[in-house]
Amino acid sequence: MSQIHSSSPKKHSFNIIDFILITAVIACIIGIAIRYNLGASLTKETDTAVITVRISSLLKENEQHLVTGDVFRYQTTNEVLGTLLSKEIKAATINYALDNGTFLVLEDEERVNVFCKIEVKGYQTENGFMVGGDTYIGCGKSILVYSNHIETAFLVTDIVIQK
């Protein structure tokens, strides 16, 4: 004896578990948007800032590898930091503490301190300047960077938002 089975698919009724899953997915999307400041980056024009960075005790022969116009990227993420606008070379110094408690400051003939101006793009937020919209940059922050000519560490000393 053969039985006849209905080939029509079962209808799925919407229930509380479906509602909870949909609500959780929407909450996750909103959380990610808030965390990465996506609302500001979608609704606001990109801000431009010029940051001043210091490279301490760079060997004199490596100063030539800081080429105006070079694009610097973060070593850790390969994201673009900005473009080198200018550089200023100053003598590096060595501080010696003498036995009498005073300090002797001598110029280091093999090294220089370099102050660079870097143009960066991002967004000014209430939490500070966000390069590319999601990477905080502020005075005192140390950044590992590279360009086509050099790999080094920057110390941010100033940020000026361009109007």
Side-chain angles (χ1 to χ4, degrees), residues 60-111:
K60 280 187 178 180
E61 60 260 19
N62 288 334
E63 178 270 322
Q64 67 185 351
H65 299 294
L66 292 166
V67 179
T68 302
D70 268 4
V71 173
F72 281 92
R73 295 178 172 273
Y74 289 95
Q75 286 183 19
T76 53
T77 64
N78 292 324
E79 296 293 322
V80 172
L81 170 64
T83 305
L84 179 63
L85 299 176
S86 65
K87 63 184 178 182
E88 180 183 350
I89 310 299
K90 294 188 177 181
T93 58
I94 302 170
N95 299 323
Y96 289 104
L98 301 177
D99 292 336
N100 64 4
T102 61
F103 284 93
L104 179 62
V105 179
L106 299 174
E107 189 173 306
D108 188 339
E109 295 179 9
E110 296 177 4
R111 297 188 175 268

Side-chain angles (χ1 to χ4, degrees), residues 110-128:
E110 296 177 4
R111 297 188 175 268
V112 292
N113 292 329
V114 184
F115 292 86
C116 299
K117 302 268 186 203
I118 310 286
E119 182 180 70
V120 297
K121 303 252 187 236
Y123 303 98
Q124 178 63 34
T125 69
E126 63 273 357
N127 297 326

Side-chain angles (χ1 to χ4, degrees), residues 15 45 108:
N15 61 34
E45 279 189 39
D108 188 339

Side-chain angles (χ1 to χ4, degrees), residues 16-32:
I16 190 72
I17 294 175
D18 295 328
F19 175 76
I20 291 171
L21 287 174
I22 291 170
T23 305
V25 168
I26 291 171
C28 287
I29 292 170
I30 291 171
I32 291 169

Side-chain angles (χ1 to χ4, degrees), residues 39-50:
S41 62
L42 293 175
T43 61
K44 185 179 174 191
E45 279 189 39
T46 303
D47 293 321
T48 300
V50 174

